[in-house]
Amino acid sequence: MELFDRIARNAQRLGLNLIAALPAERYELAATPAYRANTISPGCRSIVVIGNGGADFWHTFKAHAAGNPGWLERDNPLDDFTREVVEKEIVMPIQTEGVRCITVYPFGSGGPTLNFMQLAMLAGLAAPSVIGVVVHPVFGPWIAFRAALLIDSEIDHPGDALGFDPCPTCSSRSCISACPAAAVSFPSGWNIPKCLAHRVEAHPDCADRCHARVACVLGPDQRYPDDELAYHQARALRMMRPYYKR
């Protein structure tokens, strides 16, 4: 079985159902110096992007937390779970076959990292949107990118969102009227200062979900469960508060 297929099979068992790969050189040409892959893994030839769409990964996480008392009391239980299962179930099997692989996560590294949104778009897993998050043809805005594998093998396996650009042709643009902070517009997109001020100063309006994201016409049947929406919103607000104060 090809390397990409083995990675995808192991990822999908966990609910990590968005997987694509691209030559590292393609990403390096677009990335700014601070986010280049060869800073982390000199000589890496390909990048495999691993993410999830919909609720499958959340359900896997909840089952793990239910079987491990105290897991939800961690500072970042979902990130910890992600790191544990990616290393054990995805990275370790290919490393035992002699594949050189360095894993990069979009959270908590404290060191060099990658531009995951740019990486996902180049890999064909997502497209830009006016609501500040990237979107997928099937899963809409209900996607997240969990890890990137920097590999010494040549792989080029794009996802289904390559060339996808939904917002210019969207007729309803229900996300714009749904935002209580009036922080979404077309063609300008997401107004970060407006969103930030509203979230910090009047956060009960958006405490358990982003209304613009929920109103997106793409993938409504793939929406995260209410407890997952609240989880992500609470953590986003936690990061926003110190930034807003500065």
Side-chain angles (χ1 to χ4, degrees), residues 182-204:
V184 181
S185 62
F186 183 83
S188 300
W190 182 37
N191 186 315
I192 298 175
K194 270 189 175 182
C195 175
L196 190 63
H198 185 84
R199 288 288 305 280
V200 174
E201 294 178 2
H203 68 274

Side-chain angles (χ1 to χ4, degrees), residues 57-58 61-62 64-65 68 70-85 105-110 146 230-240:
F57 187 62
W58 179 256
F61 161 67
K62 290 290 292 292
H64 174 84
N68 291 269
W71 194 277
L72 292 176
E73 280 65 63
R74 294 176 173 225
D75 286 342
N76 294 288
L78 183 59
D79 293 349
D80 289 350
F81 172 70
T82 300
R83 189 180 287 107
E84 179 165 308
V85 296
Y105 297 97
F107 48 79
S109 67
R146 303 294 178 187
Y231 177 93
H232 292 306
Q233 284 295 94
R235 276 151 181 76
L237 182 61
R238 187 172 70 182
M239 291 187 294
M240 285 177 170

Side-chain angles (χ1 to χ4, degrees), residues 10-30:
N10 291 334
Q12 287 166 353
R13 288 173 180 164
L14 301 165
L16 293 167
N17 51 4
L18 284 180
I19 308 102
L22 73 163
E25 183 181 10
R26 190 179 304 158
Y27 171 74
E28 298 292 83
L29 290 171

Side-chain angles (χ1 to χ4, degrees), residues 110-220:
T113 188
L114 305 171
N115 184 327
F116 272 80
M117 288 182 67
Q118 185 178 47
L119 182 58
M121 288 188 284
L122 289 169
L125 288 181
S129 78
V130 298
I131 57 177
V133 297
V134 288
V135 294
H136 184 270
V138 173
F139 296 106
W142 309 112
I143 58 177
F145 306 105
R146 303 294 178 187
L149 311 184
L150 308 184
I151 291 178
D152 63 355
S153 301
E154 191 74 34
I155 312 175
D156 191 355
H157 197 293
D160 296 334
L162 205 61
F164 185 52
D165 190 15
C167 293
T169 56
C170 179
S171 57
S172 64
R173 294 191 182 133
S174 50
C175 60
I176 294 176
S177 58
C179 178
V184 181
S185 62
F186 183 83
S188 300
W190 182 37
N191 186 315
I192 298 175
K194 270 189 175 182
C195 175
L196 190 63
H198 185 84
R199 288 288 305 280
V200 174
E201 294 178 2
H203 68 274
D205 288 302
C206 306
D208 60 355
R209 68 197 61 210
C210 168
H211 298 286
R213 193 175 184 183
V214 169
C216 179
V217 299
L218 295 169

